[in-house]
Amino acid sequence: MQPPMMTRHHRRIRRAKLRARSELDIFQWDKHQFAQQDFTIPASFDTLERIDYANVSREEFIERYEEKSLPVVIRGVMEGWGACKNWNSETFLKKYYSQPFKVGEDDDGNNVYVKMKYFLKYAETDGLKDDSPLYIFDSGFVKRKLTAVQKKRISGSSSSSSSSSSSDRKGKKSSSSSSPTMTSKRESTSDEDDGDSESEKDKDKDAAVGSKRARSNSLSNGSANKVVRVFGKRASRRREDSSSDRDSAKEKSVKREEEHASTLLNDFTVPKYFKDDLFQLAGDRRRPPYRWFVVGGPRSGTGIHIDPLGTSAWNTLTTGHKRWCMFPPGIPKSLYDPVMKPFDREAVSWFHHVYPRFAANDYELAKQYGMIEVIQGPGETMFVPGGWPHIVMNLDFTIAITQNFCSPTNFEAVWLYTRHARPKLAKKFQAEIERMYNKTGKCYFKDLLDKCRSLAYVPMLPMSTDDSSSSSSSSSSDSDDDVTSTDSESDIGEICMCHKCKKKRRKELRRANKEKKNDKSDRSDRSDKRSDKSSDKSD
């Protein structure tokens, strides 16, 4: 029995899997059979407070939750969003079917992309069997433009009708411009009646005689020659008009699809509680990734992590259900993020391997360290304060938007982390705050500037090894080297398979190979010198 032929969809997904998780064999994505397990929990386990977006003011939210660093679930944020009707599989397949979205990073830190049409098909087929399926976690969906191949495909599809009509015109022109002698030869060899062939021959002769007369008249009469030239100009103008119409149609189709790519940003608005995002003062070029478009099937998600640079985050779910586990700041990392060999650091592996420890003995360990469990439903927004370790796993097909932010409430912590990890960003940040204060004179910017100056002699906060981006694949660094946002595990004697450790090992291997080559070349040079000296002595 021969194996089934691989389609383009299978090849694209296979390539993305090999690049995003090179440590896994292509046939080992379902080796743990997590798809056979049920990871849902009873609704009674979810005890986190929920508030109504319309009934709680911004000042009250900051006072009750953000200043006290308490997580909360917000209902009613999505009212009036275009995402309510536009964010679904059918609309995505219609609007963004050829748009590439990020699904991970390779060992060198390069982004791995999959087109929406391939991803949706994967989520409905092979993604249902994988232990931890691929999922879209894209922070650059707003900036991305169409590739040259996509533009060519769009322009080709838009001009298919015009090309067919032009081919018809060419066919008619070639048939009409064929010589009478050739047509008479073809007709004489056909199986038609002799009367018909004779009548057609007569017509061809008459046409040939008429064309000769027309040519002689045009040569003898100058006015007729002018008429011919005028007709030629008109025909060329018609061709130019048709070609310009086709070009305009191509440009319109390309522009339409590029507009579709940016409509995701227009389908939602930042909630009123999180409007003060101070990182926008640093500019889009310098600020780290902060906004992600998330689409994934069951068992996909992000491993245990803390949001980068001490920022807080909000996550609005439009479709499906997410399972959250959160821990207050200060809990030992060895408890919530231990070594999970032979399992990886995916969310489903954590719920399979680590979660039972907290659930043992009637959740004794979970109660001791204040673990919070949440089942986020459609239309709910999760607020995650800065410094809280958390893990998220999708229970079914989900679509969400999430964003990290720096507000005046958490500015001090974010400033200390940023000053240590991103000194250039911190310098630009403070300079922009000072410029805005000198320009506007508002007390709002004066307070921020005073906080920066008061923290000038406060020791820098060391970046924790578990401070990773909620994207687990997007990062921004002031250094020249590419640094991923997923930090390594503190597993002594074990081989960590995260992106950063794999990249570090590859660099060390290249350096070692280079040193070996240099040593070999030095040895060969020494041996040559010795042989030369020995030959000189013998002489």
Side-chain angles (χ1 to χ4, degrees), residues 288-356:
Y290 68 101
R291 177 175 52 206
W292 292 271
F293 171 64
V294 189
V295 183
R299 296 176 308 283
S300 62
T302 55
I304 191 76
H305 64 278
I306 298 177
D307 288 332
L309 303 180
T311 57
S312 302
W314 59 271
N315 184 304
T316 300
L317 184 61
T318 64
T319 303
H321 298 80
K322 288 179 178 290
R323 181 180 176 182
W324 294 69
C325 269
M326 310 176 66
F327 298 92
I331 180 174
K333 185 176 184 292
S334 58
L335 284 178
Y336 69 82
D337 191 14
V339 179
M340 294 189 295
K341 304 300 179 184
F343 302 101
D344 48 27
R345 299 186 70 251
E346 299 295 320
V348 64
S349 301
W350 190 92
F351 280 103
H352 172 79
H353 184 70
V354 181
Y355 177 79

Side-chain angles (χ1 to χ4, degrees), residues 4-48:
M5 185 178 296
M6 291 184 62
T7 61
R8 181 177 295 180
H9 152 258
H10 290 98
R11 291 195 297 270
R12 297 295 185 271
I13 296 298
R14 181 189 180 98
R15 185 187 305 170
K17 284 183 174 181
L18 292 174
R19 291 186 60 198
R21 299 188 64 185
S22 60
E23 72 276 7
L24 277 182
D25 185 85
I26 193 64
F27 301 105
Q28 293 182 348
W29 278 67
D30 58 349
K31 62 180 179 180
H32 298 300
Q33 296 295 312
F34 288 150
Q36 308 298 328
Q37 302 182 24
D38 186 12
F39 290 95
T40 59
I41 58 175
S44 59
F45 286 22
D46 184 358
T47 58
L48 190 62

Side-chain angles (χ1 to χ4, degrees), residues 389-490:
H390 57 280
I391 185 170
V392 191
M393 183 178 68
N394 299 322
L395 298 178
D396 47 17
F397 184 78
T398 60
I399 303 173
I401 186 73
T402 180
Q403 182 169 324
N404 289 36
F405 65 94
C406 170
S407 66
T409 306
N410 64 354
F411 176 76
E412 293 185 5
V414 173
W415 171 254
L416 291 176
Y417 276 115
T418 305
R419 191 183 63 183
H420 172 73
R422 310 280 172 82
K424 292 183 180 179
L425 174 61
K427 186 176 181 180
K428 173 71 175 178
F429 201 4
Q430 183 175 0
E432 191 64 22
I433 293 174
E434 187 173 1
R435 187 186 70 83
M436 292 299 295
Y437 171 65
N438 296 331
K439 180 180 179 181
T440 61
K442 292 183 178 180
C443 297
Y444 176 82
F445 296 105
K446 184 179 184 300
D447 295 339
L448 296 177
L449 191 59
D450 291 340
K451 287 182 180 180
C452 291
R453 292 170 177 172
S454 63
L455 297 173
Y457 299 101
V458 175
M460 294 183 180
L461 291 177
M463 282 296 290
S464 175
T465 55
D466 55 7
D467 282 351
S468 59
S469 166
S470 58
S471 152
S472 78
S473 59
S474 300
S475 67
S476 175
S477 176
D478 293 323
S479 61
D480 296 332
D481 298 332
D482 294 332
V483 180
T484 57
S485 57
T486 303
D487 291 278
S488 61
E489 304 175 46
S490 58

Side-chain angles (χ1 to χ4, degrees), residues 501-516:
C501 290
K502 287 190 293 185
K503 182 180 177 182
K504 185 177 180 181
R505 287 195 295 269
R506 286 167 67 93
K507 287 184 177 180
E508 292 176 353
L509 182 61
R510 293 194 196 101
R511 190 181 299 110
N513 293 334
K514 189 175 181 180
E515 290 177 356
K516 287 181 180 179

Side-chain angles (χ1 to χ4, degrees), residues 149-375:
V149 177
Q150 290 174 317
K151 292 182 179 181
K152 184 177 180 181
R153 181 195 57 76
I154 299 167
S155 60
S157 61
S158 64
S159 61
S160 59
S161 59
S162 60
S163 62
S164 61
S165 60
S166 63
S167 62
D168 294 339
R169 289 194 298 269
K170 289 180 181 178
K172 292 180 181 179
K173 182 179 179 180
S174 61
S175 61
S176 61
S177 61
S178 59
S179 62
T181 56
M182 293 296 294
T183 54
S184 62
K185 288 181 180 180
R186 286 195 298 268
E187 290 167 353
S188 62
T189 57
S190 63
D191 296 332
E192 296 177 353
D193 296 337
D194 296 337
D196 296 336
S197 61
E198 290 178 358
S199 61
E200 290 177 357
K201 290 178 182 179
D202 296 337
K203 293 179 181 179
D204 294 335
K205 291 179 181 179
D206 295 339
V209 173
S211 62
K212 290 180 180 178
R213 290 177 180 175
R215 284 197 296 271
S216 62
N217 292 334
S218 62
L219 293 172
S220 60
N221 191 356
S223 61
N225 194 14
K226 292 181 181 178
V227 172
V228 172
R229 290 177 181 174
V230 171
F231 279 124
K233 290 181 180 179
R234 290 179 180 175
S236 63
R237 286 174 183 172
R238 290 175 183 174
R239 295 193 196 96
E240 291 175 358
D241 294 341
S242 61
S243 62
S244 62
D245 292 341
R246 287 195 297 271
D247 294 338
S248 62
K250 294 177 185 179
E251 293 176 358
K252 288 180 180 179
S253 59
V254 171
K255 185 177 180 180
R256 190 184 307 114
E257 186 138 342
E258 287 183 346
E259 288 176 354
H260 283 326
S262 63
T263 52
L264 286 171
L265 189 61
N266 300 327
D267 286 338
F268 70 93
T269 56
V270 178
K272 60 184 178 182
Y273 305 143
F274 319 116
K275 289 287 187 181
D276 291 336
D277 187 5
L278 298 178
F279 266 136
Q280 63 185 354
L281 296 176
D284 292 336
R285 188 182 67 86
R286 179 66 66 182
R287 70 177 301 175
Y290 68 101
R291 177 175 52 206
W292 292 271
F293 171 64
V294 189
V295 183
R299 296 176 308 283
S300 62
T302 55
I304 191 76
H305 64 278
I306 298 177
D307 288 332
L309 303 180
T311 57
S312 302
W314 59 271
N315 184 304
T316 300
L317 184 61
T318 64
T319 303
H321 298 80
K322 288 179 178 290
R323 181 180 176 182
W324 294 69
C325 269
M326 310 176 66
F327 298 92
I331 180 174
K333 185 176 184 292
S334 58
L335 284 178
Y336 69 82
D337 191 14
V339 179
M340 294 189 295
K341 304 300 179 184
F343 302 101
D344 48 27
R345 299 186 70 251
E346 299 295 320
V348 64
S349 301
W350 190 92
F351 280 103
H352 172 79
H353 184 70
V354 181
Y355 177 79
R357 302 180 187 178
F358 291 91
N361 299 325
D362 195 18
Y363 292 88
E364 179 180 354
L365 194 63
K367 295 176 182 177
Q368 179 181 353
Y369 289 98
M371 185 184 77
I372 297 176
E373 295 189 67
V374 181
I375 299 295

